[in-house]
Amino acid sequence: MKKLFALAITLAMATSAYAHEIWIELHGNEARAYYGHLDRDVREVSPGRLDRIIAPKTAYINAAGETSPLPVSFEQDHIALTLPSTLSPGDSLAIIHHNGPVYVKNGIGTHWIMSARYTSSGVEPIAEHLELDIIPTGDPGAFRVVFEGEALTNAKVRLTHQSGWSMHRVSDQDGIVRFPALPWEGLYMVYAKHLVERKGSRERTLTDGSTEIIEHDQRGFITTLTFSVAEEL
């Protein structure tokens, strides 16, 4: 009975972990990465679940695709990213959480990569950077989902406003999803998730700075793209 109870807790923790998302908000000259649920206004804290984000990779990506890492500091309810300059059109920010554990369900181990990007415009195209990426197409409300550089068809994509409003779409054969005109000012987030069967092993960093080798049967990817709209329609 104790073993079954412990297994139930483990599976619940796994579901809770990869059901979360990371997203980036811009506050003045500082970018802040949050871990939780934007649509429910849930932001995990430290000490607590925010501590699951260990040694994330960060990048400032200019319109040409050139990248530079961003200094980070861990705060009580977010991860602060220090920006080298104001974002120009076509520039973006990224954070990647790749040091999570392998979650086992029904005998299948999945290693999840959680990533987030921010751009000042949800229209201006940006350079691809992530394995699972979401790119504005240049048309308002339209985004292209790519996986490892190729269009991802039939991807389930969610658009969320900071108020909690959400809308769902599925990408077409070109990886494109189209949402109607964005009606409100404020922060929007586009969310996509993808799972691929891929056995392998990788090294991950632990909270104490040491490393371990983990083995997985699948790789899961969760990516968000956030941007702000200045005026309501």
Side-chain angles (χ1 to χ4, degrees):
M1 186 70 177
K2 288 183 178 180
K3 288 184 178 180
L4 289 176
F5 181 67
L7 177 60
I9 291 176
T10 299
L11 293 180
M13 289 176 63
T15 302
S16 172
Y18 68 69
H20 278 55
E21 66 230 13
I22 300 173
W23 73 94
I24 300 173
E25 300 181 12
L26 200 62
H27 294 264
N29 293 324
E30 180 185 80
R32 298 175 184 176
Y34 294 96
Y35 178 59
H37 299 280
L38 176 62
D39 59 345
R40 287 181 260 165
D41 196 25
V42 174
R43 290 165 168 79
E44 302 292 1
V45 300
S46 176
R49 290 181 175 177
L50 183 60
D51 298 323
R52 293 175 178 174
I53 311 301
I54 305 167
K57 296 179 181 179
T58 62
Y60 186 107
I61 307 111
N62 67 18
E66 300 169 330
T67 66
S68 56
L70 295 171
V72 302
S73 61
F74 287 79
E75 308 300 333
Q76 192 264 337
D77 68 346
H78 67 274
I79 301 170
L81 312 177
T82 303
L83 306 185
S85 61
T86 303
L87 285 176
S88 299
D91 292 355
S92 62
L93 312 173
I95 185 169
I96 305 169
H97 169 45
H98 61 290
N99 283 314
V102 171
Y103 295 103
V104 179
K105 185 175 182 179
N106 298 327
I108 299 174
T110 306
H111 182 245
W112 290 89
I113 305 292
M114 304 184 71
S115 305
R117 296 187 74 174
Y118 179 89
T119 181
S120 56
S121 166
V123 178
E124 184 80 22
I126 55 178
E128 293 179 19
H129 181 72
L130 305 173
E131 289 174 277
L132 175 65
D133 220 340
I134 304 168
I135 308 296
T137 65
D139 295 328
F143 304 89
R144 184 169 184 257
V145 184
V146 296
F147 179 64
E148 296 181 340
E150 301 292 334
L152 185 62
T153 62
N154 297 318
K156 295 180 180 179
V157 181
R158 182 181 82 236
L159 175 69
T160 298
H161 182 258
Q162 66 184 52
S163 65
W165 171 90
S166 291
M167 180 176 286
H168 298 259
R169 290 288 186 270
V170 176
S171 63
D172 64 18
Q173 63 182 4
D174 297 315
I176 303 295
V177 291
R178 299 183 187 279
F179 296 96
L182 309 179
W184 303 294
E185 66 179 15
L187 187 75
Y188 286 85
M189 179 186 76
V190 187
Y191 168 105
K193 180 167 70 172
H194 184 55
L195 190 65
V196 60
E197 292 186 15
R198 188 170 294 172
K199 285 184 175 290
S201 61
R202 58 197 299 117
E203 184 179 77
R204 80 177 187 110
T205 301
L206 305 177
T207 53
D208 62 1
S210 63
T211 61
E212 69 174 5
I213 301 298
I214 56 175
E215 297 183 354
H216 53 79
D217 304 297
Q218 298 182 140
R219 296 188 70 202
F221 300 85
I222 293 175
T223 293
T224 68
L225 171 70
T226 46
F227 56 92
S228 292
V229 172
E231 297 182 357
E232 294 185 3
L233 292 178

